[in-house]
């Protein structure tokens, strides 16, 4: 069992290592375009400059590749080249059904294990040459595609609907409890369906003139990437060199409110990272609710400070949330064996 878990981590980290440059490209270009444009009250990040718009387009295009690359190279690590194409297909479908990076991990694992199973079939020697380039990718893509669309897609849509209704029912009650729930949702899948429900609910409240719902959300949005960036600085021996580089990008993305900056860490070690950032974001959001922090823009992170009510409490909430998440994840993680520090990186 222990050996199988170790192999599973290696599969995930292979996907992560190829995904990190994609996240950095997307995050940095989007961050630059937003940082140089700023945010407007009630509208969020508004990018109008033609050059900055192009930067935003490049960054968005890169982000659209993030989940497919993660899924594709998880499958590649499991089944070698025959798994790559089905993994990429599964990753694109994960994007299409709004399943986020967690859906991408599922797609990559499905593609990898199905492709490896088909590779083990005993077939006529005349079929062997076309197995890796035709039969395995075709059958695996069909299986993964049907599973993603028929089995995974509908439950996600139902879950999003029920979560939205749940948040609506909570909005008339305890504001701190609502903030804790929304903060946890924001961090759980970092841009995925659960995150989007909380974000859209906070944005909808802005349209109704209620800014103290988006305030805690804006705090929670930036805590995961900032916390993981800080964690790599506090305990560098617990992260590979690739992760430490990703940490630098995560810090930049967190300042601009791009929660996806924490995805490489969550994808590589979900059982330790996700509970830590969920706890940190929930704590930060709760403090923001207690401090009556309001956000007049549908965006998050320190970049929204110009349109935030009670800025001091906003900053305190972010700092406490970062501290909680970074300390928790470093307590949970073990030091990376010296021989593995560079083993999980993409070759030059």
């Amino acid at each position: 069992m222990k050996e199988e878990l170790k192999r599973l981590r290696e599969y995930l980290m292979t996907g992560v290592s190829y995904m990190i440059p994609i996240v950095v490209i997307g995050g940095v270009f989007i961050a630059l375009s937003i940082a140089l444009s700023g945010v407007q009250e009630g509208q969020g990040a508004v990018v109008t400059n033609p050059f900055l718009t192009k930067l935003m387009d490049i960054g968005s295009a890169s982000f659209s590749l993030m989940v497919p690359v993660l899924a594709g190279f998880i499958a590649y690590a499991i089944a070698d080249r025959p798994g790559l194409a089905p993994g990429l297909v599964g990753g694109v479908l994960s994007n299409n059904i709004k399943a986020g990076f967690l859906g991408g991990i599922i797609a990559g694992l499905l593609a990898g294990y199905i492709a490896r199973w088909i590779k083990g079939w005993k077939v006529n020697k005349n079929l062997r040459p076309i197995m890796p380039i035709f039969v395995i990718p075709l059958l695996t893509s069909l299986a993964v595609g049907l599973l993603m669309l028929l089995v995974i897609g509908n439950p996600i849509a139902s879950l999003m609907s029920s979560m939205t209704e749940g948040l609506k029912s909570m909005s008339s009650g305890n504001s701190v409890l609502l903030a804790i729930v929304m903060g946890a949702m924001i961090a759980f899948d970092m841009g995925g369906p659960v995150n989007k429900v909380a974000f859209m609910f906070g944005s909808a409240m802005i349209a109704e003139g209620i800014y103290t719902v988006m305030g805690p959300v804006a705090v929670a949005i930036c805590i995961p990437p900032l916390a993981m960036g800080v964690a790599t600085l506090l305990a560098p021996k617990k992260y590979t060199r690739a992760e430490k580089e990703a940490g630098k990008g995560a810090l930049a993305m967190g300042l601009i409110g791009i929660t996806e900056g924490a995805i490489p860490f969550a994808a590589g070690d979900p059982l330790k990272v996700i509970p830590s950032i969920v706890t940190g974001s929930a704590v930060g959001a709760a403090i923001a609710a207690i401090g009556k922090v309001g956000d007049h823009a549908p965006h998050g992170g320190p970049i929204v400070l110009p349109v935030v009510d009670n800025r001091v409490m906003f900053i305190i909430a972010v700092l406490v949330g970062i501290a909680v998440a970074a300390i928790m994840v470093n307590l949970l993680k073990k030091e990376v064996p010296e021989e593995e520090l560079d083993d999980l990186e993409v070759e030059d």
Side-chain angles (χ1 to χ4, degrees), residues 4-24:
E4 185 59 36
L5 288 174
K6 183 180 178 181
R7 282 198 294 269
L8 180 60
R9 182 177 184 275
E10 289 173 357
Y11 300 151
L12 294 177
M13 287 305 299
T14 297
V16 168
S17 66
Y18 282 96
M19 180 184 68
I20 284 174
I22 301 293
V23 176
V24 171

Side-chain angles (χ1 to χ4, degrees), residues 227-236 238-239 272 276 323-335:
M228 293 313 303
V230 169
T232 63
L233 299 176
L234 293 177
K238 295 189 175 185
Y239 301 89
K272 295 183 178 69
S276 301
V324 168
I327 292 170
M328 183 174 170
V329 75
N330 281 345
L331 287 174
L332 291 173
K333 289 180 74 71
K334 297 178 181 179
E335 289 190 5

Side-chain angles (χ1 to χ4, degrees), residues 159-183 185-186 192-218 221 295-299:
L159 179 64
M160 291 178 70
S161 177
S162 62
M163 284 190 295
T164 301
E165 292 303 314
L167 290 176
K168 286 179 180 177
S169 66
M170 291 180 66
S171 61
S172 59
N174 189 316
S175 63
V176 176
L177 179 59
L178 176 64
I180 290 171
V181 172
M182 294 184 70
M185 291 172 66
I186 286 291
V194 177
N195 169 289
K196 286 292 187 289
V197 168
F199 178 80
M200 295 307 295
F201 184 75
S203 301
M205 291 297 100
I206 292 176
E208 296 184 19
I210 301 172
Y211 308 112
T212 50
V213 175
M214 192 65 202
V217 170
I221 281 171
D295 179 12
H296 293 249
H299 200 73

